[in-house]
Amino acid sequence: MHVIRDDGSLDSTLDPGAVVLRAPLMAVIRHKLLCWYDEVGRDLPWRQTRDPYAIWVSEVMLQQTRVETVIPYYERFLESFPTTHALAQADEDAVLSHWSGLGYYRRARLLHAGVREVVAEYGGEVPEDADARRALPGIGRYTAGAIGSIAFDKEEPIVDGNVARVLSRLLRIKTPIGAAVTTNRLWQEAARLVPGERPGDLNQALMELGATVCTPKKPRCESCPVAEACEALAHAEVETLPVPRPRKAPKEVKLTAVVATRGRGAERKVWLVKGDQPLFGGLWGVPMAEGSARIVLSDAGLRGRLGSDPVADVEHVLTHRRLRIDVYRAPAARAAESKTRRPFAAEELEGVGVSTLTRKVLAAAL
Ligand code: SF4
């Protein structure tokens, strides 16, 4: 291990590899990051507020989703549900319809459940206490740290993909991302860096650096405020760090979807079902499962004439699975309507939570 001495020089007599930064250098890095963030940090809507609930919403939306995509969703969501009380009172369909298109709907359901608990247990105030925050549904170490540092000015660390990349390069961490040893190390380093003034801004500066300068490909080291302290740059290892986790190829899954309709022309409605299938996360969707079209149709409680061949072949890639879906049509389909099965007119589909996959299948079939 290289150790940077208090005077800033490198002690390389120890094990080569990752670096441990001493306090004075940490302080310099902190200072440079904050100055840089003040100068060039992007003006994003969730940076205009210290409301822990709004920050919570933004952090949940930003998980696995790009900033540009999130902005309009965040604004619409807070317009409809401006407070914890408003969100707690909303029904799930209304919440999911505001999430429709963002994907990973489980996030929305957990946010809803977490906010309901905040209203039931804490009178609608997001708890300042870190353990109480961490105990809420859907709040893990990252989200708790983001709310704690940004809304409450607490010295709580956060590590997301951007922070992991910056710290791995800065400290020349060579164990693979995702390995327990790396995760522990990254959280420890983030916890060493966060204490001091403006912990929320420090965390946001690290994320911002990863998002805009220390990017996965072609990082702009020439514009980096902490380049002088960067071990990956000093050792010409920027391109090879962080070490990626070994990837498994996504598993291919073959599914059958049936677009069952009732009526013709402008009167046409499409039958959707609402189940607990993990694929849809509680949203309305076209009947879809493994097996033949006849079985899919009858399992959804529908009767009707099926076309003999699929009318479309849709591909949909999730993180760990590649779905190949044969799409069949069943015109003039019938069923008893219920809370979890009913026909929708085209214009109604805009107002309900429908998964991106279902929209893709409908577009291919109709
Ligand atoms: S110098 Fe380059 S690799 Fe190092 S932290 Fe800055 S942008 Fe990342």
Side-chain angles (χ1 to χ4, degrees), residues 166 169-170 209 213-215 219-221 224-228 230-233 238:
V166 171
R169 287 175 174 164
L170 198 57
L209 188 70
V213 175
C214 194
T215 45
R220 296 187 296 111
C221 301
C224 177
V226 291
E228 278 177 25
C230 180
E231 282 294 309
L233 186 63
V238 172

Side-chain angles (χ1 to χ4, degrees), residues 302-350:
L302 285 153
R303 281 164 290 132
R305 190 169 41 83
L306 272 167
S308 54
D309 293 312
V311 293
D313 172 16
V314 169
E315 186 177 279
H316 190 68
V317 182
L318 302 166
T319 319
H320 303 296
R321 283 179 295 174
R322 178 186 301 275
L323 309 179
R324 297 296 304 262
I325 304 143
D326 284 338
V327 183
Y328 287 77
R329 272 200 213 122
R334 301 176 308 282
E337 291 184 30
S338 71
K339 274 189 175 168
T340 56
R341 181 182 53 228
R342 75 177 183 85
F344 288 79
E347 60 274 13
E348 271 183 288
L349 292 175
E350 297 308 315

